[in-house]
């Protein structure tokens, strides 16, 4: 078996001010990669963070394109929570 986990949004899926949000993420659960599709291209100060179920940050990236993939190599099987923050931390 590979690494399998689910992602759960912990916030509103779209930031009303910026129009930025995660429109889709798939496959869920995932085994080797997970794809994030944003509502629009993020600016240079937006950041995607992934936390394990214990609240520890395990991944952080600046999404440069509207559809991007995250490799799950090194992720343990389990439940993860993602946050997409804009330049204002929202």
């Amino acid at each position: 078996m590979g690494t399998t986990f689910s992602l759960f949004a912990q916030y509103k899926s779209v930031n009303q001010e910026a129009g930025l949000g995660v429109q889709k993420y798939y496959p869920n659960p995932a085994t080797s990669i997970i794809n994030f599709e944003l509502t629009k291209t993020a600016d240079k100060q937006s950041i995607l963070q992934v936390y394990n179920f214990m609240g520890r940050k395990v991944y952080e990236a600046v999404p440069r394109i509207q559809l991007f993939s995250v490799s799950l190599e090194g992720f343990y099987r389990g439940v993860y929570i993602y946050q997409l923050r804009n330049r204002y931390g929202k």
Side-chain angles (χ1 to χ4, degrees):
M1 304 205 106
T3 303
T4 304
F5 72 95
S6 298
L7 294 173
F8 296 96
Q10 188 181 18
Y11 58 92
K12 294 179 184 177
S13 62
V14 177
N15 182 318
Q16 300 297 331
E17 296 169 14
L20 176 64
V22 175
Q23 185 170 335
K24 291 187 216 175
Y25 52 93
Y26 56 90
N28 187 21
T31 56
S32 59
I33 63 165
I34 189 149
N35 302 295
F36 289 90
E37 187 175 322
L38 305 181
T39 54
K40 69 176 192 175
T41 303
D43 63 26
K44 294 177 185 175
Q45 296 172 341
S46 296
I47 191 163
L48 177 85
Q49 299 170 323
V50 178
Y51 296 86
N52 66 17
F53 202 65
M54 304 272 291
R56 182 175 168 236
K57 188 181 343 175
V58 295
Y59 181 83
E60 184 173 277
V62 175
R64 304 250 183 232
I65 54 178
Q66 198 166 352
L67 175 62
F68 69 101
S69 300
V70 174
S71 171
L72 303 180
E73 187 175 326
F75 280 65
Y76 293 103
R77 189 174 174 170
V79 176
Y80 291 79
I81 299 165
Y82 72 84
Q83 291 185 330
L84 180 63
R85 296 183 176 268
N86 65 15
R87 68 179 127 203
Y88 307 109
K90 295 181 180 184

